[in-house]
Amino acid sequence: MKTFTKILIALLMIFTLNTPVGASASTENVTLEYLDIDELSSSDNYANGENPSITVLDNGLVVSVNDKDGKTSYQLGEYEDDQIFWTHPVEYGGGEKPTIATLTNGNIIEVHEGGNHELHYNLGRYEDGKIDWYSVNNYYGKGDHPNVTLLTNGDIVLVFEGQG
């Protein structure tokens, strides 16, 4: 448990140093007209992958991440009329079992397994109709099945199955 606590504290310190000041996903003039959106129907899958995880940005957009064949991708979605309209998947890196959370400053943290039980995280934010990953593939420890969430006080909590 002490190792996990040290890793979590180190990650929080790194995140604080690498987070752009004033970054925010919320905008009053968000439009989705320029996104290539497909309507979700009962016979269609919105994504072709495994291990999905979602978060909702403070501008109301849904971000979904998943993996397929060792590659991670994301999609943006808009909830309207009891449906979600999704963009096409956008591949953004390698890894498995991604999980995602929206941070209080509008940034996004995504964590995943990177092979050999290595855990990595990416930091990004929504800009101009896409996710801009500004800090990618950062190693933070060994383990399996990571999960990330944000506490109401703004602290990030990462949990995973430990090694040994």
Side-chain angles (χ1 to χ4, degrees):
M1 187 64 171
K2 290 180 184 179
T3 301
F4 174 75
T5 303
K6 289 178 186 176
I7 291 171
L8 182 59
I9 290 169
L11 178 61
L12 291 172
M13 290 173 55
I14 290 168
F15 175 74
T16 302
L17 295 173
N18 289 321
T19 302
V21 176
S24 176
S26 102
T27 61
E28 293 178 9
N29 300 319
V30 172
T31 61
L32 294 178
E33 295 172 316
Y34 52 84
L35 295 178
D36 186 11
I37 296 178
D38 290 334
E39 185 173 341
L40 179 67
S41 72
S42 59
S43 63
D44 294 329
N45 288 327
Y46 76 94
N48 188 9
E50 299 175 348
N51 304 305
S53 178
I54 65 168
T55 192
V56 178
L57 303 177
D58 56 0
N59 63 11
L61 289 177
V62 179
V63 180
S64 173
V65 294
N66 65 50
D67 68 77
K68 182 175 182 183
D69 300 326
K71 305 218 182 265
T72 51
S73 64
Y74 75 87
Q75 288 180 271
L76 299 173
E78 179 182 31
Y79 180 77
E80 183 179 306
D81 298 326
D82 295 329
Q83 296 183 68
I84 298 179
F85 297 87
W86 294 100
T87 62
H88 292 285
V90 176
E91 191 175 293
Y92 65 90
E96 296 180 336
K97 300 178 183 85
T99 182
I100 191 167
T102 302
L103 306 176
T104 55
N105 57 7
N107 290 283
I108 302 165
I109 184 168
E110 178 269 348
V111 298
H112 61 272
E113 290 181 22
N116 296 322
H117 307 285
E118 291 184 356
L119 300 173
H120 298 265
Y121 69 95
N122 294 316
L123 299 172
R125 70 177 159 270
Y126 172 80
E127 287 185 351
D128 299 325
K130 64 182 176 64
I131 303 298
D132 174 29
W133 299 103
Y134 58 83
S135 181
V136 297
N137 209 31
N138 300 286
Y139 173 81
Y140 71 89
K142 292 265 191 186
D144 295 302
H145 307 285
N147 204 339
V148 62
T149 194
L150 185 71
L151 299 178
T152 56
N153 67 359
D155 288 347
I156 300 167
V157 177
L158 296 165
V159 295
F160 54 88
E161 289 180 25
Q163 292 295 300

